[in-house]
Amino acid sequence: MDPPAAKRSRGCPAGPEEREAGAGAVRWRGRPEALLDLSAKRVAESWAFEQVEERFSRVPEPVQKRIVFWSFPRSEREICMYSSLGYQPPEGEHDARVPFTRGLHLLQSGAVDRVLQVGFHLSGNVREPGGPGEPERLYHVSISFDRCKITSVSCGCDNRDLFYCAHVVALSLHRIRHAHQVELRLPISETLSQMNRDQLQKFVQYLISAHHTEVLPTAQRLADEILLLGSEINLVHGAPDPTAGAGIEDANCWHLDEEQIQEQVKQLLSNGGYYGASQQLRSMFCKVREMLRMRDSNGARMLILMTEQFLQDPRLALWRQQGAGMTDKCRQLWDELGALWVCVILSPHCKPEERTSWLQLLSKWDKLDVCPLEEGNYSFDGPSLQPTAALTPGPEEEEEVMAMAAGSRHTVFGRALQAGSLHWSDDHLQRILASDSYSPNLTGNGGSDKPSFDPQGRPLWLGEPFPTTCARVDTLRAHGYPRQALRLASAIVNTLRLQQRHQLQIYKQQKKELLQKGSTCITNMEGWVGHPLDPIGCLCRALLEACRLEEETLTIYPDSGPEKRKVAYQHVPVPGSPGESYLAMALEVALLGLGQQRALPDGLYAQDKVVRNEEQLLALLEEVELDERLVQVLCKQAGQLLEGGPFSGFGEVLFRESVPMHTCARYLFTALLPHDPDLAYRLALRAMRLPVLETAFPAGEPPSNPLDSIMSNRFPRWFILGHLETRQCELASAMLTAAKGDPKWLHAVLGSIQQNIHSPALLFKLAQDACKTATPASAPPDTTLLGIALELGLQVMRMTLNTMTWRRREMVRWLVSCATEIGPQALMNIMQNWYSLFTPVEAATIVAVTGTTHATLLRLQLDAARREELWACARTLALQCAMKDPQNCALPALTLCEKNQAAFEAAYQIVLDAAAGGLGHAHLFTVARYMEHRGLPLRAYKLATLALAQLSIAFNQDSHPAVNDVLWACSLSHSLGRHELSAIVPLIIRSIHCAPMLSDILRRWTLSAPGLGPLGARRAAKPLGADRAPLCQLLDAAVAAYITTSHSRLTHISPRHYSDFIEFLGKARETFLLAPDGHLQFAQFLENLKQTYKGKKKLMLLVRERFG
């Protein structure tokens, strides 16, 4: 491509008026510039001053002065570019962080003085106010320049930042805005040439005298070399002059501190985990783009420096060694780096030798082991844009594409290397870029096998993969060719439309066959949304940029306000296409890309990028205010997406691995709803599908673990499945909210939710949202929506019945409250059908109890008959639960049935029956205590005896959990009377073999007389004796237990337990002494121990010391 004429900056104002350096005075309005100034401007821009001197034997002094004058940069925009980063600093920090703004303030406050221009060198002083209590600081600034570019800077502040400091900015702006006030001198060599020998000697001696401490050693060394006839300095013609400008061979570029850029990037990469570091690196990428747009060669130079530091990041080798992927922030930065290189390599105006050197660098970097690979299964030679397309690729083609994507090593620089083979010399492409009115009337197809125009006569661009053509658009924008970018973007849109029409025709021909088959192959193995080159985003931004409403006053730093202004767009007509606008094109392109049926790429990052790119595109669309014209485009595209078959993600038949359309559909639903509700609902309902889950779980078959929404074990490739399900839920919620008051659509949405959403957690959230929407605080409830909320809640209960989760209790309570909002019949229905919804514990402890609380009854406002009906339903539920799970539901059932004698008796009988069937002693004791609390001691006694019959406490279980229950049962029997006491003694002896426990029970019973009668109202005259029936049997059992336990403990006793055993014998003696001959029995017992365990001499010595 022959590049357009280079853009010449003519002075970018910082205010409304245009400021450009004048020829020593302000030009009068309408007065033409002098021919000398016009000529000097052109020479100053293009020629090195050495070239002027060589070309002309004698240049008059006035001409020299005008060339030197016009050689300083004339535009403030370049000064701004080199003194500010391309990102918006936080509010309140703008002046403090942006050198350009600080320099502007210094200039406006009169801080610049003693400005002198000697040839191509500018110097001056800048005074900066100090902080509180600090003196004013003075900085000496010097600037060298050549051909309207600053080539070097020096400042006393020792600034170590990427770009120019505020003091350099202040001096530069002073020179641009007040050029006529700056004292101008020719290069110092010109002045020296006018001096005779005496003047030169005086000049040198005065110079040395003024700066003798700094220059005296250098002056002496130079003098020595000059006096030496054969020295190198005498062999060179002339002498260097720092004020004489650059030589012919010198590079002409703006000053860029390479060392500081490398150091800054290295430091930011080392802080890569911080958000601020990533933002600053992105701002440096923006600065590269800004330089490219200004046709500044430093853009590529800066990108090379950054790339070298990126490749030296020590984390790359570490990640490779560990086999771990890089962080998302780092991966995003590498993606931006790769995309920037594509723009640089595709430059339409770079020299061939420049492109060759860049490609050599890229090739070297591409071969490095640490060079990151491009993630995702995107091919490098994808299908080209064609006027026709096959409905589905054949199996061989599909395998070939997949093998190509998987077989070669693609680094992040691979696409830039591939771009090296592209060119701009195609005749058809040149004509597209050159004119808005290019049509078939001007040229024919030239024998080409591909059409160059659509049926309406608009140009097409075929034969290249879509991402590649969009990369061309991005490159044109990046290099400052906005009109050419728009022309190519329009041709691409024309091509997409033509391809879409042909695809619809092909689908209509094969629609019947496909629908009967019920499945399809993917038509796009690689999607456009999430692609490394971001083709849809590039195209949309190029089209939208042409439609932005610009402010009347253009400022250097447009985002300098504390809040960014809302972007506004207007319709801009497309030349050569009547009725078309770039804004409508942008909307159409975005919907084409977002609605494309495409396979989900491999890899977590690639999948996350699909989601992120989709959200970025939708954010762009949400900035566009929809008018009638755009709504027509929206409706048309939505209809085509529904009819698009396998080419559309909204088509009737979907590939199992295709990317879901939930996020896009939510935007379309919201945008279409006010204009075409029927289309909005049809589109959103179609988009509710999640094919990968539909094929995994056949109809009616629940997932094995329904609460695990990510299901990484079953779908290892779908890393973002949880996110996709959430977006599906958000779409459903939006439809439910919008359909409030419309039963037809509400039931349609409910059916779609029940069919497509498989996550109980998300279904429960939908149910909660629907209930909240249906019951506003200041309006009557929507009964249809409430019923749908309840139906969703019931589905969640059924799905999670066999999979316990900590949220089940919350879900059950919410379901009861939702049923209460609907009415008593709904509440009774869930009680009557509890088997399929709740566990017995949930039904008895939550459903039945919550459904009959005072607050619930007040909410329902029932009469006495209906209230009793609800109570009867709850009691029936409780009894059924008690029969199914007596261990956990018997007590709640008894509690709920207290006020109904028949139901209470039934519940009590269930407990008795369960005791025979193995109901544990702990539960029986709990129910027994409840019976005593309710004033039914005989029933409590009955249950306690049943519990004791199941209990067994060994000799060494004196801390058994049932100890307190046993003591309570003994106390209960003692209070009831001698008969009950006598009956429980055999149970105690049979169940308890722990000697301390038996002796404790015995003492408790001997402290007071037992009660008489069923309620123990009257007591006997005196306590029972331990040696008389019925306690004598218990005493014998306690003595026998002590003897058995003693022998058992002595079998394996260690010296550290001797003292415990002596204490144990002391308690045994107390029990022995309760018998009439207890003293004799204990003595015999001790003697037996001494004889049996005489080998344990130390222990027996302790026994003799304590007991004799």
Side-chain angles (χ1 to χ4, degrees):
M1 169 184 175
D2 295 328
K7 245 183 347 186
R8 299 302 180 190
S9 303
R10 297 297 180 186
C12 179
E17 72 281 348
E18 178 180 354
R19 295 192 184 92
E20 190 176 84
V26 179
R27 292 200 309 268
W28 295 102
R29 183 184 300 274
R31 180 179 176 182
E33 285 188 89
L35 184 59
L36 172 59
D37 281 314
L38 290 173
S39 304
K41 274 186 180 181
R42 296 295 293 175
V43 170
E45 289 173 355
S46 310
W47 286 26
F49 195 66
E50 182 185 12
Q51 187 176 2
V52 175
E53 292 177 319
E54 289 185 358
R55 176 68 175 81
F56 304 99
S57 59
R58 180 180 176 276
V59 181
E61 183 175 323
V63 175
Q64 290 188 48
K65 279 194 172 183
R66 301 320 294 161
I67 293 175
V68 168
F69 178 86
W70 287 113
S71 291
F72 194 84
R74 306 163 206 164
S75 170
E76 295 182 8
R77 188 172 294 278
E78 280 88 356
I79 306 299
C80 178
M81 181 171 72
Y82 279 93
S83 57
S84 58
L85 286 176
Y87 73 100
Q88 175 68 22
E91 183 178 349
E93 295 185 18
H94 189 270
D95 290 346
R97 294 184 59 178
V98 181
F100 181 82
T101 309
R102 287 176 53 214
L104 189 59
H105 289 167
L106 288 171
L107 174 66
Q108 292 169 346
S109 64
V112 183
D113 62 3
R114 300 189 65 181
V115 181
L116 173 66
Q117 179 178 343
V118 180
F120 296 86
H121 184 272
L122 183 72
S123 62
N125 292 339
V126 179
R127 300 180 184 275
E128 186 170 26
E134 295 180 359
E136 182 182 67
R137 294 185 292 271
L138 177 66
Y139 299 106
H140 181 71
V141 183
S142 62
I143 299 173
S144 296
F145 54 91
D146 173 55
R147 283 169 277 182
C148 299
K149 295 181 176 67
I150 291 176
T151 55
S152 68
V153 298
S154 173
C155 179
C157 69
D158 292 328
N159 170 59
R160 295 300 296 168
D161 201 353
L162 281 177
F163 301 114
Y164 305 160
C165 67
H167 315 109
V168 171
V169 170
L171 181 60
S172 302
L173 294 182
H174 179 88
R175 171 61 177 77
I176 293 173
R177 296 189 179 187
H178 308 294
H180 58 284
Q181 299 176 9
V182 176
E183 187 178 0
L184 176 63
R185 295 285 185 272
L186 289 176
I188 193 67
S189 55
E190 293 292 328
T191 305
L192 293 176
S193 66
Q194 299 173 17
M195 296 182 184
N196 58 31
R197 182 187 181 286
D198 292 338
Q199 289 172 326
L200 283 171
Q201 183 170 356
K202 184 177 288 189
F203 171 77
V204 172
Q205 287 184 223
Y206 268 98
L207 181 63
I208 294 173
S209 177
H211 304 284
H212 65 277
T213 56
E214 293 91 354
V215 303
L216 188 57
T218 305
Q220 185 62 55
R221 178 177 57 80
L222 291 174
D224 292 342
E225 290 186 20
I226 289 173
L227 291 174
L228 187 64
L229 293 178
S231 64
E232 183 179 353
I233 198 170
N234 286 320
L235 298 177
V236 177
H237 175 71
D241 180 359
T243 67
I248 298 175
E249 301 298 327
D250 292 343
N252 180 226
C253 58
W254 285 78
H255 169 69
L256 193 68
D257 190 339
E258 297 188 1
E259 181 183 346
Q260 185 57 29
I261 286 177
Q262 291 173 321
E263 185 62 33
Q264 187 87 350
V265 174
K266 182 179 180 181
Q267 182 180 351
L268 291 172
L269 286 172
S270 65
N271 298 329
Y274 298 99
Y275 176 75
S278 299
Q279 285 298 98
Q280 289 192 52
L281 286 168
R282 284 195 176 90
S283 73
M284 294 178 73
F285 288 143
C286 291
K287 184 59 64 178
V288 171
R289 283 188 176 271
E290 187 180 355
M291 291 175 176
L292 294 178
R293 191 161 54 250
M294 300 292 288
R295 321 274 174 84
D296 189 333
S297 61
N298 279 339
R301 186 172 157 210
M302 182 173 171
L303 188 60
I304 291 172
L305 296 172
M306 294 183 68
T307 305
E308 289 172 344
Q309 291 304 310
F310 266 72
L311 287 166
Q312 291 173 21
D313 187 350
R315 295 177 298 172
L316 293 177
L318 183 64
W319 285 327
R320 184 174 182 273
Q321 182 182 359
Q322 295 176 345
M326 62 177 67
T327 63
D328 279 1
K329 288 181 183 177
C330 193
R331 170 60 72 178
Q332 290 172 31
L333 292 171
W334 274 101
D335 280 356
E336 292 186 44
L337 188 69
L340 262 178
W341 270 113
V342 172
C343 285
V344 170
I345 296 296
L346 265 178
S347 170
H349 59 249
C350 71
K351 299 175 182 177
E353 57 269 21
E354 285 181 323
R355 178 178 291 193
T356 301
S357 66
W358 295 334
L359 288 171
Q360 287 173 351
L361 276 175
L362 287 170
S363 180
K364 181 182 75 172
W365 295 334
D366 184 74
K367 294 180 175 65
L368 296 176
D369 290 338
V370 295
C371 186
L373 302 179
E374 180 181 281
E375 191 162 339
N377 53 334
Y378 296 101
S379 68
F380 272 48
D381 298 302
S384 301
L385 284 176
Q386 298 293 343
T388 59
L391 184 62
T392 56
E396 295 180 1
E397 295 175 0
E398 194 171 315
E399 288 177 10
E400 184 179 344
V401 171
M402 296 299 289
M404 191 186 304
S408 56
R409 179 179 180 268
H410 293 158
T411 72
V412 291
F413 300 123
R415 296 189 182 274
L417 285 167
Q418 185 190 37
S421 62
L422 301 176
H423 57 81
W424 298 89
S425 58
D426 181 89
D427 184 62
H428 180 56
L429 177 60
Q430 284 280 342
R431 291 173 183 270
I432 290 174
L433 299 178
S435 172
D436 290 322
S437 56
Y438 179 40
S439 68
N441 299 328
L442 302 177
T443 180
N445 284 342
S448 172
D449 59 349
K450 57 187 179 184
S452 299
F453 300 91
D454 66 5
Q456 288 76 34
R458 295 172 298 197
L460 305 174
W461 179 239
L462 298 165
E464 279 185 348
F466 177 69
T468 303
T469 60
C470 293
R472 287 185 182 271
V473 174
D474 189 38
T475 300
L476 288 168
R477 286 180 64 232
H479 287 275
Y481 299 98
R483 294 303 309 167
Q484 289 84 349
L486 271 180
R487 290 164 185 159
L488 181 56
S490 300
I492 295 171
V493 174
N494 296 334
T495 310
L496 286 177
R497 288 170 175 167
L498 185 63
Q499 181 171 289
Q500 186 186 38
R501 287 198 294 270
H502 284 291
Q503 287 174 346
L504 287 172
Q505 292 173 4
I506 295 170
Y507 170 58
K508 287 176 182 177
Q509 296 170 3
Q510 303 182 18
K511 182 175 180 179
K512 184 177 179 181
E513 177 187 346
L514 273 176
L515 292 180
Q516 288 177 347
K517 186 179 176 183
S519 63
T520 181
C521 295
I522 195 71
T523 57
N524 297 286
M525 290 311 297
E526 58 178 39
W528 296 338
V529 175
H531 192 279
L533 294 177
D534 188 18
I536 296 295
C538 291
L539 212 52
C540 281
R541 282 188 288 271
L543 294 166
L544 287 174
E545 189 179 67
C547 305
R548 289 184 65 160
L549 279 171
E550 299 292 348
E551 294 293 321
E552 291 183 6
T553 302
L554 182 66
T555 62
I556 292 248
Y557 209 85
D559 295 333
S560 58
E563 294 183 1
K564 283 186 112 176
R565 291 182 295 272
K566 184 180 178 182
V567 180
Y569 297 98
Q570 63 181 348
H571 285 282
V572 176
V574 180
S577 301
E580 287 274 14
S581 84
Y582 289 123
L583 192 58
M585 272 188 174
L587 178 62
E588 188 176 346
V589 164
L591 296 180
L592 274 172
L594 290 167
Q596 177 198 34
Q597 184 175 170
R598 56 198 184 271
L600 190 73
D602 291 331
L604 171 59
Y605 176 76
Q607 293 178 15
D608 184 63
K609 189 175 180 181
V610 168
V611 172
R612 190 168 58 252
N613 195 196
E614 190 175 46
E615 291 171 349
Q616 289 167 350
L617 286 171
L618 290 173
L620 273 179
L621 294 185
E622 285 168 358
E623 291 179 350
V624 179
E625 188 175 342
L626 296 177
D627 56 16
E628 184 178 353
R629 193 170 174 183
L630 293 179
V631 168
Q632 290 177 359
V633 173
L634 199 70
C635 293
K636 179 183 175 183
Q637 283 300 312
Q640 289 183 345
L641 287 173
L642 281 174
E643 299 297 327
F647 300 101
S648 165
F650 294 87
E652 292 182 68
V653 181
L654 277 186
F655 176 60
R656 179 182 179 273
E657 299 277 328
S658 63
V659 177
M661 297 286 111
H662 308 133
T663 310
C664 174
R666 189 180 177 193
Y667 165 79
L668 288 171
F669 177 76
T670 306
L672 287 169
L673 192 63
H675 310 285
D676 191 341
D678 183 72
L679 178 60
Y681 278 108
R682 287 194 297 118
L683 192 80
L685 289 170
R686 180 75 65 79
M688 278 291 291
R689 299 168 297 181
L690 192 52
V692 71
L693 294 184
E694 290 172 12
T695 53
F697 305 128
E701 180 183 327
S704 61
N705 186 4
L707 289 180
D708 183 7
S709 64
I710 297 179
M711 291 179 283
S712 57
N713 56 331
R714 300 190 63 167
F715 305 106
R717 281 192 62 247
W718 284 67
F719 299 103
I720 58 168
L721 186 56
H723 174 85
L724 296 177
E725 287 185 292
T726 302
R727 290 290 178 265
Q728 183 188 36
C729 174
E730 290 172 355
L731 173 61
S733 181
M735 286 194 288
L736 281 176
T737 303
K740 180 182 177 182
D742 190 335
K744 170 194 168 185
W745 287 119
L746 278 175
H747 288 295
V749 174
L750 173 63
S752 179
I753 291 172
Q754 291 176 323
Q755 179 182 355
N756 295 298
I757 296 185
H758 305 280
S759 165
L762 295 176
L763 282 171
F764 181 57
K765 183 181 183 302
L766 277 176
Q768 288 178 305
D769 291 346
C771 184
K772 187 176 180 180
T773 304
T775 53
S778 57
D782 185 313
T783 54
T784 306
L785 190 52
L786 262 179
I788 285 175
L790 180 65
E791 183 59 38
L792 290 174
L794 295 175
Q795 182 176 348
V796 173
M797 291 295 103
R798 286 189 286 267
M799 290 174 71
T800 59
L801 179 60
N802 298 320
T803 309
M804 287 296 99
T805 167
W806 60 274
R807 295 200 68 187
R808 274 283 297 189
R809 293 184 67 84
E810 176 195 353
M811 293 173 176
V812 173
R813 291 182 193 280
W814 177 87
L815 190 69
V816 174
S817 67
C818 183
T820 304
E821 290 290 337
I822 296 176
Q825 191 57 49
L827 194 56
M828 287 189 285
N829 283 341
I830 64 172
M831 289 183 181
Q832 291 165 357
N833 298 294
W834 71 271
Y835 280 100
S836 61
L837 303 171
F838 314 108
T839 63
V841 176
E842 291 169 344
T845 60
I846 302 177
V847 178
V849 174
T850 308
T852 54
T853 59
H854 183 65
T856 302
L857 296 175
L858 281 179
R859 176 74 178 164
L860 292 172
Q861 298 179 347
L862 302 177
D863 57 23
R866 292 285 285 172
R867 182 173 296 191
E868 180 53 35
E869 184 181 359
L870 182 61
W871 267 107
C873 191
R875 287 192 293 266
T876 303
L877 165 64
L879 291 174
Q880 290 172 347
C881 293
M883 292 180 66
K884 193 169 183 67
D885 186 3
Q887 288 191 353
N888 298 306
C889 300
L891 186 57
L894 286 166
T895 305
L896 199 67
C897 297
E898 283 178 353
K899 297 180 180 179
N900 186 283
Q901 185 62 32
F904 188 82
E905 290 298 328
Y908 176 65
Q909 188 58 47
I910 290 172
V911 175
L912 294 178
D913 295 342
L919 186 63
H921 60 81
H923 295 94
L924 286 171
F925 276 127
T926 302
V927 177
R929 285 177 180 266
Y930 163 79
M931 288 295 185
E932 185 198 29
H933 179 69
R934 302 303 303 168
L936 302 170
L938 290 178
R939 290 190 172 184
Y941 173 77
K942 172 68 173 174
L943 293 172
T945 57
L946 291 174
L948 284 170
Q950 296 186 14
L951 185 64
S952 177
I953 299 179
F955 72 91
N956 58 349
Q957 291 182 303
D958 45 357
S959 59
H960 193 280
V963 168
N964 288 331
D965 288 329
V966 172
L967 295 177
W968 168 82
C970 293
S971 175
L972 175 66
S973 61
H974 185 266
S975 66
L976 289 176
R978 187 184 182 98
H979 176 73
E980 286 77 6
L981 188 64
S982 301
I984 206 172
V985 167
L987 288 174
I988 294 291
I989 294 172
R990 186 165 61 250
S991 301
I992 300 169
H993 307 286
C994 179
M997 194 171 172
L998 289 170
S999 62
D1000 188 18
I1001 295 170
L1002 184 62
R1003 283 193 189 82
R1004 288 170 182 261
W1005 279 347
T1006 57
L1007 291 177
S1008 61
L1012 294 177
L1015 297 178
R1018 187 166 56 86
R1019 293 194 173 274
K1022 59 180 181 179
L1024 295 174
D1027 58 337
R1028 300 175 62 187
L1031 299 187
C1032 60
Q1033 299 174 5
L1034 186 60
L1035 176 60
D1036 293 342
V1039 168
Y1042 270 115
I1043 294 172
T1044 305
T1045 304
S1046 297
H1047 285 291
S1048 178
R1049 293 181 66 171
L1050 285 170
T1051 304
H1052 302 290
I1053 196 169
S1054 62
R1056 68 174 182 273
H1057 294 136
Y1058 285 174
S1059 58
D1060 293 339
F1061 183 72
I1062 297 301
E1063 293 298 322
F1064 177 77
L1065 288 180
K1067 293 179 181 178
R1069 183 172 63 177
E1070 293 174 3
T1071 304
F1072 272 79
L1073 294 179
L1074 292 175
D1077 57 345
H1079 182 74
L1080 180 60
Q1081 288 185 36
F1082 187 69
Q1084 291 176 350
F1085 169 57
L1086 287 180
E1087 189 61 32
N1088 185 24
L1089 289 179
K1090 293 172 186 176
Q1091 292 297 324
T1092 306
Y1093 302 100
K1094 58 186 176 182
K1096 300 182 185 294
K1097 297 180 180 180
K1098 185 176 180 181
L1099 177 60
M1100 293 302 109
L1101 179 61
L1102 292 174
V1103 171
R1104 291 190 186 94
E1105 289 177 356
R1106 176 74 180 272
F1107 303 107

